[in-house]
Amino acid sequence: MISGKFAITLHILTLLSKFPDEFLSSDFLAGSMNLHPVLIRKEIANLKKHHIVESKEGKNGGTKLLRPAENISLDDIFKLTFERVTLGYSKNDPNPDCPVGKNINKKLDELYIDINDKISKELRGISLTEFSNKF
Amino acid sequence: MISGKFAITLHILTLLSKFPDEFLSSDFLAGSMNLHPVLIRKEIANLKKHHIVESKEGKNGGTKLLRPAENISLDDIFKLTFERVTLGYSKNDPNPDCPVGKNINKKLDELYIDINDKISKELRGISLTEFSNKF
DNA sequence: ACATTTGTAATGTATTTTATTACAGTATGA
DNA sequence: TCATACTGTAATAAAATACATTACAAATGT
């Protein structure tokens, strides 16, 4: 769940990269993107799981980057926040007695894997630093 | 709306390409993908608007391709069914007093436009015939 | 005429996403 | 050492979106 996962996570990381030595609170981060702090903390939990950031509890606590923004690519963030980009699937199981219905999802998968490879290739070339410098 | 638009539309067109001379009913098409015929007709309305198919009302009515499957690319279908692929946006308007918040959506847009160009380039190389022949 | 089909609007249901509440646990510093 | 300011996480509520269904007018073939 969370459809804005990538955008939210990238926004969080962009802010963290602006203050690489400070622990920023979920409240502060939430203020910039106008979302509920709990949602921010959920995304931060995901970032921690992947050792991109560390958090400190308690007063003056917050979150900061664990490694230089230069060493984080947008593809890293993509992979962290997306199972896979798709152009969608028909919601119900298609009819297995129809040659097209029987195989459509497999063929869509193949197509979508190709698309994801292209996206990854594109994003691999952009570092968090490069993105962050646009602001 | 309709998140499975691309998949449903491609499924419809694949079936139509298998019987290029027949008018297939929305009921038949719905049977292959196990969706409600009204939803199929909605997607067909979109295809008609773009002169990809024609429909015939009344008994023995239905829908058929208006041009050879060879002349329809997956990118045509993509453009017909997607405004744009995105990796999401944070739902609420970000804080305009934050330098990052103020510009994040514009920068995400630029990124997503690049991604869409790559996807289009990939899909432009695949004709409906080529896709349909996988079945 | 009658059966079959499209076209479309309106409404209902389900699913997904986001927001909120609640509260336990942790560090800081007055 | 106690009040305060945080994180962490679960549970629940609300909102948004997607899909299903119903309903019925209009068209066409037999």
Side-chain angles (χ1 to χ4, degrees):
Chain A
M1 291 180 204
I2 300 177
S3 88
K5 237 173 137 65
F6 174 83
I8 294 167
T9 300
L10 181 53
H11 195 148
I12 291 170
L13 290 174
T14 300
L15 288 168
L16 294 183
S17 78
K18 294 291 187 192
F19 306 94
D21 301 318
E22 295 177 39
F23 285 92
L24 303 182
S25 74
S26 63
D27 224 65
F28 171 80
L29 297 168
S32 171
M33 54 197 96
N34 198 12
L35 288 177
H36 204 278
V38 168
L39 182 56
I40 304 295
R41 295 208 285 272
K42 266 183 198 154
E43 293 314 318
I44 284 174
N46 185 42
L47 286 166
K48 281 195 309 187
K49 198 170 74 191
H50 293 274
H51 313 291
I52 308 290
V53 304
E54 62 176 333
S55 293
K56 198 173 64 172
E57 296 187 26
K59 195 166 182 178
N60 304 327
T63 302
K64 71 190 271 297
L65 290 179
L66 260 181
R67 38 182 172 118
E70 191 54 47
N71 297 344
I72 301 170
S73 77
L74 296 202
D75 187 43
D76 294 331
I77 303 172
F78 174 55
K79 292 202 157 62
L80 222 91
T81 54
F82 262 89
E83 177 87 22
R84 184 189 292 172
V85 165
T86 80
L87 307 184
Y89 295 90
S90 177
K91 187 192 158 208
N92 301 325
D93 288 340
N95 186 343
D97 297 332
C98 167
V100 175
K102 189 168 64 189
N103 290 301
I104 186 78
N105 283 337
K106 187 151 146 273
K107 295 307 172 189
L108 287 175
D109 278 343
E110 288 169 16
L111 184 62
Y112 296 166
I113 286 171
D114 278 357
I115 286 175
N116 277 264
D117 288 346
K118 302 283 190 246
I119 294 175
S120 275
K121 195 177 156 198
E122 170 84 2
L123 295 180
R124 213 175 297 138
I126 308 172
S127 71
L128 177 57
T129 304
E130 188 180 339
F131 185 79
S132 177
N133 282 342
K134 295 177 195 285
F135 299 90
Chain B
M1 293 178 204
I2 299 176
S3 88
K5 238 173 136 66
F6 174 83
I8 294 167
T9 300
L10 180 53
H11 194 147
I12 291 170
L13 290 175
T14 299
L15 289 168
L16 294 182
S17 79
K18 294 293 186 191
F19 306 93
D21 301 320
E22 295 178 40
F23 285 92
L24 304 182
S25 75
S26 63
D27 223 65
F28 172 79
L29 297 168
S32 171
M33 54 199 96
N34 198 11
L35 289 177
H36 203 278
V38 168
L39 182 56
I40 304 294
R41 296 208 284 274
K42 267 184 199 152
E43 294 314 318
I44 285 174
N46 185 41
L47 286 167
K48 282 195 309 185
K49 197 170 74 190
H50 293 274
H51 312 292
I52 307 290
V53 305
E54 61 175 332
S55 294
K56 200 173 63 171
E57 296 186 27
K59 195 164 181 180
N60 303 327
T63 302
K64 71 192 270 298
L65 290 179
L66 259 181
R67 37 182 172 117
E70 191 54 52
N71 297 343
I72 301 170
S73 77
L74 296 203
D75 187 44
D76 294 331
I77 303 172
F78 174 55
K79 292 202 157 62
L80 222 91
T81 54
F82 262 90
E83 178 86 22
R84 184 190 292 172
V85 166
T86 80
L87 307 184
Y89 295 90
S90 177
K91 187 193 158 208
N92 301 325
D93 288 340
N95 186 344
D97 296 332
C98 167
V100 175
K102 188 168 66 187
N103 290 301
I104 186 79
N105 284 337
K106 188 153 145 273
K107 295 308 172 189
L108 287 175
D109 278 342
E110 288 170 14
L111 183 63
Y112 296 166
I113 286 171
D114 277 357
I115 286 174
N116 277 263
D117 288 346
K118 301 283 191 249
I119 294 175
S120 276
K121 194 175 156 197
E122 170 84 2
L123 295 180
R124 212 175 297 137
I126 308 172
S127 70
L128 178 56
T129 304
E130 188 179 339
F131 186 78
S132 177
N133 281 342
K134 295 176 195 287
F135 299 90

